[in-house]
Amino acid sequence: MSTLRILDILGFVVGLVYLILEYKASIWLWLASIIMPAIDMVLYFKAGLYADFGMAIYYCLAGVYGYVAWKWLGRTKKEAERPITRYKRAHILPSVLAFALLWFGIWWILTHWTNSNVPVADAFTTALSIVALWALAQKYAEQWLLWLAVDIVCCVLYIRKGIPFKAAIYGLYTVVAVLGYRKWLRMIV
């Protein structure tokens, strides 16, 4: 079995754990969100998905931030951790602008500095993932909608790149994003 396939399977298993923890809104999703991208860094680099490689580095760092944000930021003294809330209107325009600038910037880097043959899709998923992960760290229910778009594009992209287990987990993420969004809306107090 090739190294690429082993990493793909291992990432799939950790991804399942992450998905279950995120669906349950468990703070332990952040530990899985550090382990999974560490595996993915090697996988993506070997597959030539350079923006996703960079994104995996961001995911590792964001995993630490997410844990801190859920545990200690944005909560009252009575709450054990940050509550689930709705996306703030004041954050919509800055989020859209950040996404657009990131998408263009990452696309430009990929087309000028790498041999990527999927720069538009790779840049899209990376840019939107940055915004979605920030929204997850804020514990906004709508983060699921951002992930839904990322998951659909990633599923197709990974099929095209010959990473079937990663494609499968993103196919599953697509379904769970819909279910997770509905569940998180019900969990808002």
Side-chain angles (χ1 to χ4, degrees):
M1 190 177 297
S2 72
T3 303
L4 197 64
R5 185 70 57 193
I6 292 168
L7 291 169
D8 191 18
I9 293 169
L10 188 57
F12 177 82
V13 171
V14 177
L16 285 176
V17 171
Y18 170 86
L19 187 59
I20 292 164
L21 295 171
E22 183 180 12
Y23 181 76
K24 292 180 174 186
S26 169
I27 197 165
W28 296 109
L29 77 92
W30 296 108
L31 178 60
S33 78
I34 294 168
I35 296 168
M36 186 171 53
I39 295 165
D40 288 347
M41 277 188 255
V42 179
L43 175 70
Y44 292 148
F45 190 80
K46 287 182 174 287
L49 293 165
Y50 305 114
D52 282 345
F53 169 78
M55 186 67 206
I57 295 169
Y58 170 74
Y59 278 154
C60 281
L61 297 174
V64 174
Y65 169 75
Y67 180 82
V68 169
W70 278 33
K71 187 70 177 168
W72 292 294
L73 305 177
R75 67 177 182 89
T76 65
K77 292 183 186 221
K78 294 179 187 175
E79 298 167 324
E81 61 185 56
R82 174 181 232 141
I84 296 170
T85 60
R86 301 297 304 256
Y87 211 98
K88 295 184 183 347
R89 287 185 189 262
H91 292 153
I92 294 173
L93 182 59
S95 296
V96 170
L97 291 174
F99 163 69
L101 289 171
L102 286 164
W103 188 7
F104 176 78
I106 295 166
W107 167 84
W108 188 89
I109 290 167
L110 291 174
T111 56
H112 289 87
W113 294 69
T114 75
N115 63 349
S116 176
N117 60 358
V118 288
V120 173
D122 197 8
F124 173 85
T125 59
T126 302
L128 191 54
S129 292
I130 290 169
V131 175
L133 192 57
W134 171 83
L136 173 60
Q138 304 311 307
K139 221 169 181 180
Y140 294 147
E142 291 79 10
Q143 57 90 16
W144 286 105
L145 300 176
L146 301 175
W147 288 120
L148 180 63
V150 170
D151 298 340
I152 291 168
V153 174
C154 280
C155 185
V156 173
L157 181 60
Y158 298 150
I159 288 169
R160 181 173 176 204
K161 287 302 228 171
I163 311 172
F165 286 95
K166 190 55 89 173
I169 193 85
Y170 275 87
L172 183 58
Y173 284 173
T174 300
V175 174
V176 174
V178 173
L179 300 174
Y181 178 58
R182 294 178 66 191
K183 178 176 177 149
W184 277 37
L185 286 177
R186 288 190 307 269
M187 293 173 71
I188 294 174
V189 285

